[in-house]
Amino acid sequence: FFSCCRMAPQWVWPLLMALLLTFVMEGRASGATMALDEESMETQVMNTDLQGTIWTVLFHGKSASKLVKDYEEHATKMKGLVKSGVVDVTKGKKSMALMQLFGLEKKDLPQVFLLPSVLLVSPQDWAPVQYKGVKTPTAISAWAAKHLPSRLITVCATDGQVDQFLHADPGLPKALLFTEKSNTSSLYKSLSLRFGFQMAFAEVRISPDSFVSEKYDVTSYPTLLVFRSSAEHAAPEKYAGKNDIESIASWITPLALPLDERTPAKQRYEESLKTQELSKKRALVNPTIRITTEEQWMEQVLSKHSVSLVAFLDPTDSSHKEYLRMLKTVHAKTKKGGTQYYFAWLDATQQQGVANMLGVAGETPRLVYLHAWKGWYKPFVGAFTKDKIWTSISSSALLTTPGKPIAQYDLLKAFAPEQNEDLFELDPAEEPDAAPKKDNPEPKKVTSKPQKVPPKKTTPKETATKDAKDKAKQEKPTETPKPKAKGAETPEASPEPPEGKANPAQSTDTLTDEERQKILKEFEQSRKEERKKQKEMDELLRKLKFQPKVPERPRASSPREALRAEKIRKKKEQEEKERELDKAYQEQDGELIMMQDVSDELP
């Protein structure tokens, strides 16, 4: 072997090195990319058990070696965060079938697509995203990282938000990342997608005045904790390995739920999303909050640093919802005006103590302006209508005139907790502003008004010719039809020609020489009259020193011609001004000479 190597020519060695380098690069890329076709697309990408990530897929043909190398560099860089697939359309019918499935032809290649995770998107709504940027490794990687979803990550900033996250869905383990960054990293997004519905993920963004880290004994950042139980004193697991996704994933795997328990967790997550959406709609149509507990009374009214409108209503009243709609209208006006007011209502039948303290006990509905933080209140006087309430709120007397004193503690003590399960609120399904908007509203039909067609202008020659023809037709004697012989066939009447077209059966040269001479004389006479009128008009304009509108100049074909035309135009304007000045001086020549002579004689 060595003797053969010595005998080989020198040009063989660079070729062998290039082949070896190509083999190494293909071996390295084979671990980062996966060859896809129609069959593997179904088993690998669309499989919900394996789909815990997003995919980027490159479709290419023969002449895309440079892009393939760049794509392999992207796949190596994003390995673990994003899965990368390659479809070589020259390798079999299945690859061609997959290309046609994506709506591509060979002339469209090469193309890069991103396939979202079917874990978060239903198969009916699933659709690939085509890449339309510069096909470089960095640009493709940045584009793929941007499409990593963060909807499975809860962002917390306070101790209360962390406790709420840890106690939600007790059967699901929780991962808590403490970080000083203001944005979620691609690594954490990919982890939340890989273990979606097997573990809940949250991110605590530390601020200088935050004390959440001390509670969980976190001294450095980033720090990842996993809580396997939602118990009050359960100790978390702390990650202490390398900061790469594969090491973290191998550590999380035994702590997360198994795959067969992921479906029930997903159903619970979807139900919680529906509950949150419904609560948002209820909050939208119910800006006037129903107060039922002491905590709500303290948080929504007594602790506010602004005026609260507290209504005392009877839920059993037939006009109860109408009163809530009135308060909703007033709330929308105050919000539009920029003034911060808080709206709440109490059940007057259960809150007699609070109503007596505020002086509104008795008939309902009643309204009170309350500023518990400053310790004053003012009962609303007047009819309970939206116009009267808005007039009272918008008047300056509400904030300038003093109110009656009241103690915050006494109001809290007088509140009686309610036990009603029905909140007697407005139903989002019955309110028009809570109805979902159409994604693709029908376009409005634009009905164009019929345009008036201006009458066609005719020249004096055409008018004279037409009048002469009409006159000749009138003077032409009408022929009386001859009696037909018995048995003679009646010829069919020839159809009249359409308007504006001559009949070929009739002679077009029906005018005599005398008529032609007459028409020409009339035409010449009309032309002379037009010239005379135009001359009079020009003379009148000259006397009034009125400049007729200059016709629009034709556009120049080049910048040089445009500059030249502009110079000529300015020169003509200057010459015209000079002519006007000379003319004015000539008209007043005697006065100017006299003034010059007098000024010369002055000392």
Side-chain angles (χ1 to χ4, degrees):
F1 173 77
F2 289 106
S3 60
C4 291
C5 290
R6 291 193 200 97
M7 294 173 64
Q10 293 183 355
W11 58 269
V12 174
W13 293 105
L15 180 61
L16 291 174
M17 293 298 294
L19 292 173
L20 181 61
L21 182 61
T22 304
F23 177 76
V24 170
M25 291 298 294
E26 288 182 356
R28 184 184 299 177
S30 62
T33 61
M34 179 182 296
L36 295 177
D37 54 22
E38 189 178 19
E39 184 178 347
S40 59
M41 178 79 177
E42 189 69 27
T43 58
Q44 296 293 330
V45 180
M46 303 301 294
N47 190 347
T48 54
D49 291 338
L50 300 176
Q51 177 57 315
T53 185
I54 62 176
W55 282 75
T56 57
V57 180
L58 169 66
F59 290 84
H60 71 91
K62 292 181 179 180
S63 60
S65 57
K66 176 65 170 61
L67 179 58
V68 170
K69 290 180 180 179
D70 292 344
Y71 184 78
E72 288 171 353
E73 185 179 340
H74 145 75
T76 306
K77 180 181 178 181
M78 300 295 288
K79 186 177 180 181
L81 304 176
V82 176
K83 289 188 177 181
S84 302
V86 178
V87 180
D88 188 352
V89 298
T90 62
K91 293 185 177 180
K93 296 182 179 179
K94 293 182 178 180
S95 300
M96 290 289 292
L98 185 58
M99 180 190 71
Q100 295 171 0
L101 186 65
F102 275 71
L104 295 175
E105 298 180 3
K106 284 189 175 182
K107 63 179 181 179
D108 301 328
L109 302 181
Q111 292 290 343
V112 179
F113 284 87
L114 183 135
L115 312 182
S117 172
V118 295
L119 196 64
L120 299 178
V121 182
S122 62
Q124 295 80 13
D125 300 331
W126 187 89
V129 182
Q130 186 175 2
Y131 177 64
K132 297 181 180 180
V134 182
K135 294 180 177 65
T136 60
T138 305
I140 297 173
S141 299
W143 174 70
K146 186 179 178 181
H147 282 78
L148 282 169
S150 59
R151 57 183 288 191
L152 295 177
I153 300 173
T154 305
V155 179
C156 304
T158 63
D159 189 15
Q161 292 175 344
V162 174
D163 289 340
Q164 184 179 0
F165 165 75
L166 293 177
H167 290 88
D169 198 352
L172 191 65
K174 314 289 190 308
L176 201 60
L177 176 67
F178 291 81
T179 179
E180 292 178 319
K181 295 182 178 180
S182 58
N183 298 319
T184 307
S185 64
S186 301
L187 188 148
Y188 203 53
K189 289 179 184 179
S190 184
L191 275 175
S192 68
L193 189 58
R194 182 182 295 194
F195 294 95
F197 310 115
Q198 295 177 261
M199 181 178 288
F201 289 81
E203 188 176 43
V204 182
R205 295 174 181 175
I206 301 301
S207 58
D209 55 346
S210 177
F211 299 97
V212 184
S213 302
E214 297 179 5
K215 181 178 179 180
Y216 296 98
D217 194 23
V218 175
T219 57
S220 60
Y221 308 103
T223 296
L224 181 62
L225 303 179
V226 171
F227 295 80
R228 304 189 68 175
S229 174
S230 301
E232 190 70 27
H233 302 287
E237 301 281 345
K238 186 175 181 179
Y239 178 69
K242 296 180 180 179
N243 192 18
D244 63 84
I245 189 168
E246 296 301 336
S247 302
I248 300 173
S250 61
W251 176 75
I252 287 179
T253 301
L255 303 176
L257 291 179
L259 279 174
D260 55 356
E261 297 183 22
R262 187 169 67 177
T263 303
K266 183 179 180 180
Q267 293 175 353
R268 292 195 299 269
Y269 173 77
E270 291 173 350
E271 289 175 2
S272 67
L273 287 181
K274 290 180 182 178
T275 305
Q276 292 175 10
E277 188 67 24
L278 181 59
S279 64
K280 287 180 181 178
K281 288 183 179 180
R282 285 193 172 277
L284 177 66
V285 299
N286 292 282
T288 307
I289 303 171
R290 169 77 186 278
I291 305 297
T292 57
T293 63
E294 291 182 354
E295 290 79 8
Q296 283 183 318
W297 181 235
M298 185 66 192
E299 182 181 353
Q300 301 293 339
V301 178
L302 300 183
S303 63
K304 298 298 183 183
H305 290 249
S306 184
V307 178
S308 297
L309 278 72
V310 183
F312 289 83
L313 306 177
D314 184 2
T316 60
D317 190 350
S318 59
S319 302
H320 171 69
K321 288 190 175 182
E322 195 61 36
Y323 295 142
L324 289 180
R325 290 189 182 97
M326 290 180 187
L327 293 172
K328 176 185 173 184
T329 304
V330 177
H331 177 272
K333 286 186 175 182
T334 59
K335 190 176 181 182
K336 187 177 181 180
T339 310
Q340 182 67 36
Y341 290 106
Y342 298 95
F343 287 65
W345 71 274
L346 303 174
D347 187 349
T349 61
Q350 300 188 52
Q351 300 297 340
Q352 294 291 337
V354 179
N356 288 327
M357 290 189 68
L358 298 176
V360 290
E363 295 182 358
T364 58
R366 298 298 299 273
L367 184 66
V368 177
Y369 301 122
L370 175 63
H371 200 316
W373 188 261
K374 290 186 177 180
W376 62 262
Y377 73 96
K378 295 177 184 179
F380 168 72
V381 180
F384 197 94
T385 62
K386 56 186 178 183
D387 296 330
K388 294 289 185 181
I389 296 172
W390 172 245
T391 304
S392 176
I393 290 177
S394 57
S395 66
S396 59
L398 177 61
L399 299 176
T400 55
T401 58
K404 299 179 181 180
I406 192 73
Q408 189 181 34
Y409 174 75
D410 294 338
L411 286 172
L412 183 62
K413 190 176 179 181
F415 186 85
E418 301 177 10
Q419 303 297 328
N420 291 345
E421 293 183 1
D422 190 354
L423 296 179
F424 300 99
E425 293 179 333
L426 298 176
D427 188 1
E430 299 175 358
E431 301 303 313
D433 51 2
K437 296 181 180 180
K438 293 182 179 180
D439 294 335
N440 296 317
E442 294 182 2
K444 295 182 180 179
K445 294 182 179 179
V446 181
T447 56
S448 59
K449 295 182 179 180
Q451 297 180 355
K452 294 182 178 180
V453 181
K456 186 178 179 181
K457 294 182 179 180
T458 57
T459 61
K461 183 177 180 179
E462 293 176 352
T463 307
T465 307
K466 186 178 179 182
D467 294 341
K469 285 183 179 180
D470 294 339
K471 190 176 181 180
K473 286 181 181 178
Q474 292 176 2
E475 293 177 354
K476 190 175 181 181
T478 56
E479 296 179 358
T480 55
K482 295 180 181 180
K484 298 177 184 177
K486 224 175 192 182
E489 294 183 359
T490 305
E492 294 184 358
S494 60
E496 294 184 0
E499 188 178 353
K501 292 185 179 180
N503 190 346
Q506 297 177 357
S507 174
T508 57
D509 192 9
T510 59
L511 297 177
T512 62
D513 294 338
E514 294 179 359
E515 289 174 345
R516 285 197 189 92
Q517 292 295 331
K518 186 179 180 181
I519 291 172
L520 290 174
K521 286 180 180 179
E522 291 176 356
F523 173 70
E524 289 295 333
Q525 187 66 25
S526 63
R527 288 293 299 270
K528 287 179 181 179
E529 291 177 358
E530 281 186 2
R531 291 193 194 100
K532 186 177 179 181
K533 289 180 181 180
Q534 185 65 33
K535 191 174 181 180
E536 291 175 356
M537 182 63 67
D538 293 342
E539 184 67 22
L540 180 62
L541 291 175
R542 190 186 66 78
K543 289 181 180 179
L544 296 174
K545 297 182 180 180
F546 177 78
Q547 296 295 330
K549 187 177 179 181
V550 181
E552 188 178 355
R553 300 184 304 277
R555 294 184 180 180
S557 59
S558 66
R560 182 176 294 177
E561 291 182 7
L563 290 173
R564 185 180 176 185
E566 185 68 18
K567 287 181 181 179
I568 294 172
R569 185 184 66 81
K570 289 182 178 180
K571 187 177 180 180
K572 287 183 178 180
E573 289 180 357
Q574 185 66 23
E575 291 175 354
E576 187 66 27
K577 289 180 181 179
E578 290 176 358
R579 281 196 296 268
E580 290 179 1
L581 289 173
D582 292 340
K583 188 176 181 182
Y585 288 151
Q586 289 173 7
E587 292 174 357
Q588 303 175 2
D589 191 42
E591 296 181 6
L592 288 172
I593 293 172
M594 185 177 65
M595 290 176 64
Q596 289 176 0
D597 295 341
V598 172
S599 61
D600 293 340
E601 294 176 1
L602 292 175

